[in-house]
Amino acid sequence: LTSVNYFAWDYGRSILTSLWNAVSVYNWGNAPTTPTTPTTPTTPTTPTTPVDATIVHNLIAALNAHSAAQVIALYNTNGAHVTATETIQGSDALTAWYTKFLNVTLPNATFKVVDVTGTAESIKFTWQAVSPSGNIKNGADTLGIINGKITYHYSFYIITPV
């Protein structure tokens, strides 16, 4: 590994300190200090673990149960959820966000998984939701999984009014 992008240094440094520390103390070994000519990417020699969609299906089941507590049980204590409008981190903030999402934004919604891809550590899935308040046809999320729990969760969706 000769380079890495780490965005949101300010947020990572102040809130996601464990992630910041991992990036900042990484042993770069003999990484070049001057730019090198890019090479053609090769197939990684380190195998990745195939995706296990269980956590996605558990997340959708918790959303269909309209239970913020069940959703939060899937997250690491300091997990973060990133949407187009905000970043929510920590169990209390996530509980408040999911409570509002399930009871105000999309009350009585029914959620379904459309597709799941990725690896055990980084899962991408598409989903849909139907609610008396609006519908989502284009849900596209990415989960970062550490020790079987959601550590980061990026969501993209557009709610179409009914």
Side-chain angles (χ1 to χ4, degrees), residues 19 44 46-56 74 76 80 116-125 141-154:
L19 182 57
T46 308
T48 57
T49 307
V51 66
D52 176 358
T54 302
I55 197 159
V56 172
L74 301 171
N76 278 314
V116 181
T117 61
T119 66
E121 298 81 19
S122 181
I123 302 171
K124 296 177 183 180
F125 67 100
D141 290 25
T142 301
L143 303 176
I145 307 298
I146 297 177
N147 297 324
K149 296 277 192 171
I150 300 169
T151 300
Y152 74 85
H153 180 178
Y154 169 77

Side-chain angles (χ1 to χ4, degrees), residues 43-128:
T43 304
T45 56
T46 308
T48 57
T49 307
V51 66
D52 176 358
T54 302
I55 197 159
V56 172
H57 293 290
N58 289 345
L59 176 61
I60 296 299
L63 293 171
N64 281 325
H66 306 199
S67 172
Q70 287 180 31
V71 173
I72 301 313
L74 301 171
Y75 278 82
N76 278 314
T77 307
N78 205 24
H81 187 176
V82 179
T83 70
T85 58
E86 62 188 319
T87 298
I88 308 97
Q89 184 173 18
S91 296
D92 292 342
L94 287 166
T95 298
W97 189 89
Y98 276 106
T99 298
K100 180 180 177 186
F101 182 73
L102 293 168
N103 294 298
V104 177
T105 307
L106 287 178
N108 301 311
T110 301
F111 298 84
K112 76 174 187 175
V113 175
V114 175
D115 188 39
V116 181
T117 61
T119 66
E121 298 81 19
S122 181
I123 302 171
K124 296 177 183 180
F125 67 100
T126 54
W127 55 278
Q128 297 176 345

Side-chain angles (χ1 to χ4, degrees), residues 40-44:
T40 304
T42 59
T43 304

Side-chain angles (χ1 to χ4, degrees), residues 1 4-7 9 12-14 16-29:
L1 182 64
V4 65
N5 284 330
Y6 181 76
F7 297 97
W9 172 85
R13 180 80 188 235
S14 64
L16 294 172
T17 54
S18 61
L19 182 57
W20 167 254
N21 290 338
V23 170
S24 67
V25 301
Y26 182 79
N27 180 3
W28 292 96

Side-chain angles (χ1 to χ4, degrees), residues 101 106 127-130 134-139 157-160:
F101 182 73
L106 287 178
W127 55 278
Q128 297 176 345
V130 176
N135 299 320
I136 297 173
K137 296 181 181 178
N138 66 338
Y157 57 86
I158 296 173
I159 300 174
T160 306

